[in-house]
Amino acid sequence: MLRSLVLLIASVLALAACTPPNDVGTGDPGQKIYRIRGNSDKVQFRMLDSVNALRSASNLQQVQLNAQLNAAAATHAKDMAAQNRPWHFGSDGSSPLDRAARAGYPGTFLGEAIAETYETELETLAAWMDEPGTRSIILDPTARDLGFSWHQERGGKIWWALEMGG
């Protein structure tokens, strides 16, 4: 009897370990998690259009999406998620400049904006514009190229990365 009970408990524990974890929320029961599904290109173009609107309002030249900077941003967004911390250095010690060079970006790397949020890309851009450092990167007068990407965790957290080059 005792052996059967031990086997039953062990089986339940083993099955519990196999079930996927519940989605982790933001901690705010009133906040809806922004899910990026399918049309991910639309997210990238909304960011590009919004950055260009801000640049236009400041009488600055528009920027264009750059495949190499997009690749550098995507790599870093996934790496930040793997490290579970938003910072500018990769798990291999790489800097934003290193990642742009590795991705084959031929221009001058100007800067990077990063974030860890549950918010939309436009809310994230608004937060970046409220910070002098990231605002100066987005509104750099010499910028010509933009790279933008993200990684969304299963629980909804989004790791954003924006790269600017000239």
Side-chain angles (χ1 to χ4, degrees):
M1 178 75 174
L2 181 62
R3 182 174 183 207
S4 296
L5 183 59
V6 169
L7 284 174
L8 178 62
I9 291 172
S11 297
V12 168
L13 290 174
L15 285 174
C18 294
T19 59
N22 293 332
D23 276 356
V24 176
T26 63
D28 178 0
Q31 183 169 356
K32 184 177 186 233
I33 294 175
Y34 179 56
R35 293 270 182 209
I36 302 173
R37 295 191 176 130
N39 306 317
S40 59
D41 288 345
K42 289 183 180 179
V43 172
Q44 202 168 41
F45 285 111
R46 274 195 301 269
M47 178 60 80
L48 175 66
D49 291 345
S50 298
V51 166
N52 279 330
L54 292 166
R55 291 178 63 80
S56 181
S58 296
N59 294 316
L60 297 170
Q61 174 178 312
Q62 292 196 346
V63 294
Q64 61 185 359
L65 284 175
N66 177 277
Q68 291 92 359
L69 290 178
N70 285 340
T75 298
H76 193 52
K78 288 177 187 165
D79 191 43
M80 285 189 297
Q83 295 182 69
N84 195 33
R85 62 179 170 184
W87 76 322
H88 294 284
F89 293 94
S91 56
D92 62 355
S94 63
S95 71
L97 185 60
D98 295 332
R99 289 188 296 277
R102 279 187 204 158
Y105 182 64
T108 302
F109 183 79
L110 300 173
E112 176 178 74
I114 58 171
E116 162 197 21
T117 71
Y118 290 92
E119 299 173 327
T120 69
E121 66 280 1
L122 300 182
E123 290 170 307
T124 302
L125 177 59
W128 285 335
M129 292 302 289
D130 281 343
E131 293 295 322
T134 49
R135 179 184 181 87
S136 69
I137 291 167
I138 293 165
L139 298 181
D140 188 313
T142 63
R144 304 288 177 265
D145 300 313
L146 176 139
F148 176 68
S149 193
W150 62 90
H151 174 76
Q152 186 163 32
E153 293 179 354
R154 188 174 179 173
K157 185 188 294 181
I158 308 169
W159 300 85
W160 302 101
L162 179 140
E163 316 293 334
M164 297 295 282

